[in-house]
Amino acid sequence: MIITVVCDIFGEESNGTIVVTMNLIRFLQKQNHTVRVLCADQTQKGVENFFVVPNENFGKSLNSLVERVGVSLAKPDRGVILRALDNADHVHIMLPLSLGLATAKIARKMNIPITAGFHMQAENMTSYLKLNKIRPINTLIYKYIYRRLYRYCDGIHYPTEFIRRVFESRIKKTTAGYVISNGVHSYVQKRNAEKPEHMKDKFVILSIGRYSSEKSQDTLIKAVYHSAYRDKIQLILAGQGLKDKRYKRLSKNLPEQPIFKLYGREEIIDVINYCDLYVHPAVDELEGIACLESIACGKMTIVSDSENSATKDFAIDGKCVFKHKNPKDLARVIDYWIENPKERAEYERKYLESSVVYRQEDCMLKMAQMIAEAGRKKQAETNNIPAVQIINNAGI
């Protein structure tokens, strides 16, 4: 098959959505599909099977803001889109942003089967305007992206049942959904990793994620300040983002200054393995791959109880959960696990054996099956054949 993957955000694998995108592309290529990538990564111009549109220009100040988030956004170009779709058998859209929406509109007219991923909560958008707590605004965004994209899809990829439930409850419709985890790569596993020399006498707490209000790293920084063991805690905040300067100012009174760093994909697995505790304080999280990677390495993992986060479902029990946006309660949980190393080791074993982590290879196979089935459904509609008949004939 010729599959066009549409990427409003693309580039180095320092962003969760880009990592997920590259995992899918590589898997489809291994399955001998021709994968065309429609994106705005200017470094890929002239590379075979890359179709590059311009970057969106929001003006100097807004461009700077977007760059600080660590991404660049695509500006639709009809001519480039048409070339990317020429003779394509399928279109998979990663995000409901301008390039994805424009491509879906053209693909519909060309009668090409469409699937799309659900990798962005409404709160991810509204948090930049400090409107993420206003439910009606988030609901309007969900209804908008349903109307512009997801209602036309022959299949929708939801990374968790949680986000499918949220989306369908907001739009009040049942969708052509497939719940498939993005999975954890086989190289993410428990292994021996020595703490750096300057951390060997410290209790290392790690959190991974973009520096943003929905990831709530400020709650963790304040929790360390409230901890009875703050003098011995080394906090590592792995990531980058708009809140960088604010979080550094917030940390200035801590006895041990946090490490703010964007790690490479291999390096961060070592950090997970040598840390003593992993904390995922996010209040808005549709899956939380970093959290799953911590669990895959058998780390004691603490999550928030936020109703807008899927990660609360990963916790072994209530001892691993704190009240979201509540630094004192998080400090209480952290101190408990510092004071109980034997029980912490037992919970690490439980996490390592947990069933919430899925092999990436298995997940990508399900994605390929979704794409194939969506194509058969589209063929059934085009030929006016009952979809169930064509699926049965295919042995599904």
Side-chain angles (χ1 to χ4, degrees):
M1 291 175 66
I2 298 174
I3 302 170
T4 301
V5 179
V6 186
C7 314
D8 272 89
I9 296 173
F10 196 77
E12 291 185 18
E13 293 179 59
S14 59
N15 171 285
T17 303
I18 298 173
V19 171
V20 167
T21 302
M22 288 307 304
N23 290 339
L24 177 61
I25 290 169
R26 291 184 190 116
F27 181 84
L28 292 174
Q29 288 172 334
K30 278 174 59 179
Q31 298 293 306
N32 295 318
H33 297 295
T34 298
V35 181
R36 296 174 178 172
V37 180
L38 177 59
C39 67
D41 184 354
Q42 304 306 312
T43 66
Q44 301 299 325
K45 271 191 173 178
V47 177
E48 185 180 10
N49 288 322
F50 275 84
F51 297 78
V52 182
V53 299
N55 292 112
E56 192 68 75
N57 186 355
F58 300 100
K60 187 174 181 180
S61 58
L62 281 178
N63 284 346
S64 175
L65 185 70
V66 171
E67 286 171 11
R68 283 171 60 199
V69 177
V71 301
S72 59
L73 296 176
K75 180 180 181 180
D77 181 303
R78 182 177 174 81
V80 177
I81 294 171
L82 286 170
R83 289 197 297 276
L85 296 184
D86 185 40
N87 289 321
D89 299 296
H90 192 93
V91 174
H92 183 74
I93 297 169
M94 295 303 300
L95 291 169
L97 298 178
S98 57
L99 182 59
L101 301 183
T103 305
K105 185 176 181 180
I106 295 171
R108 289 201 326 268
K109 291 179 179 178
M110 297 174 70
N111 208 31
I112 301 172
I114 303 169
T115 52
F118 205 102
H119 301 290
M120 183 180 288
Q121 288 172 274
E123 289 82 0
N124 295 146
M125 303 179 193
T126 56
S127 64
Y128 292 109
L129 302 173
K130 298 183 178 179
L131 300 173
N132 51 310
K133 294 182 180 178
I134 304 177
R135 186 183 174 96
I137 292 178
N138 293 319
T139 298
L140 280 174
I141 290 175
Y142 282 130
K143 288 182 176 179
Y144 174 80
I145 61 177
Y146 173 74
R147 188 172 68 252
R148 291 291 306 277
L149 172 61
Y150 291 111
R151 68 169 170 160
Y152 299 114
C153 291
D154 303 290
I156 302 172
H157 166 220
Y158 296 102
T160 57
E161 184 60 44
F162 159 79
I163 195 59
R164 178 180 186 169
R165 186 170 63 248
V166 168
F167 184 54
E168 292 186 345
S169 68
R170 298 296 183 88
I171 64 172
K172 300 190 184 315
K173 296 180 186 296
T174 300
T175 62
Y178 297 74
V179 178
I180 306 168
S181 171
N182 287 308
V184 172
H185 197 282
S186 57
Y187 69 70
V188 181
Q189 55 185 279
K190 185 177 179 64
R191 64 191 187 209
N192 291 326
E194 289 286 323
K195 284 183 184 177
E197 196 63 38
H198 65 283
M199 295 187 203
K200 287 193 173 177
D201 62 339
K202 299 296 181 182
F203 188 88
V204 178
I205 298 178
L206 171 66
S207 188
I208 303 171
R210 185 178 69 258
Y211 303 155
S212 61
S213 57
E214 72 265 28
K215 299 300 182 183
S216 198
Q217 288 97 339
D218 57 332
T219 302
L220 177 54
I221 294 168
K222 293 173 186 175
V224 172
Y225 180 81
H226 288 296
S227 169
Y229 302 94
R230 59 181 172 270
D231 290 339
K232 67 177 290 188
I233 292 175
Q234 174 62 69
L235 178 60
I236 301 176
L237 295 176
Q240 63 179 4
L242 296 177
K243 299 282 186 178
D244 179 271
K245 291 181 180 178
R246 180 177 182 274
Y247 288 165
K248 287 176 180 175
R249 287 196 302 270
L250 189 62
S251 306
K252 66 180 181 180
N253 291 326
L254 292 178
E256 193 72 39
Q257 287 301 289
I259 295 170
F260 294 86
K261 181 179 176 180
L262 180 63
Y263 293 86
R265 286 297 297 151
E266 288 283 352
E267 188 181 10
I268 193 61
I269 307 309
D270 281 335
V271 182
I272 292 173
N273 274 286
Y274 71 63
C275 78
D276 297 293
L277 195 68
Y278 180 84
V279 179
H280 204 80
V283 291
D284 301 311
E285 191 71 85
L286 61 81
E287 183 171 32
I289 289 296
C291 189
L292 288 176
E293 290 180 340
S294 167
I295 293 169
C297 292
K299 278 293 128 181
M300 179 62 219
T301 301
I302 296 172
V303 297
S304 86
D305 69 350
S306 172
E307 65 176 13
N308 288 328
S309 175
T311 56
K312 63 182 179 298
D313 297 331
F314 303 157
I316 295 296
D317 59 32
K319 290 182 179 180
C320 312
V321 181
F322 72 95
K323 296 175 184 175
H324 68 284
K325 302 293 288 184
N326 189 323
K328 290 184 178 179
D329 192 55
L330 177 53
R332 173 190 63 80
V333 178
I334 288 172
D335 288 357
Y336 178 85
W337 290 112
I338 292 176
E339 292 165 0
N340 294 275
K342 288 185 179 179
E343 188 177 5
R344 189 170 77 243
E346 175 62 19
Y347 269 63
E348 288 179 340
R349 182 189 63 77
K350 290 179 180 179
Y351 269 120
L352 192 59
E353 296 172 354
S354 171
S355 62
V356 301
V357 178
Y358 300 93
R359 288 179 66 250
Q360 191 179 94
E361 192 83 1
D362 295 338
C363 297
M364 292 301 100
L365 180 59
K366 290 179 181 178
M367 288 289 294
Q369 290 169 343
M370 176 193 75
I371 287 170
E373 184 174 329
R376 286 188 283 269
K377 286 180 181 177
K378 187 72 171 180
Q379 179 188 349
E381 291 173 7
T382 303
N383 297 330
N384 200 27
I385 302 169
V388 68
Q389 180 181 327
I390 235 174
I391 291 168
N392 287 340
N393 290 344
I396 293 177

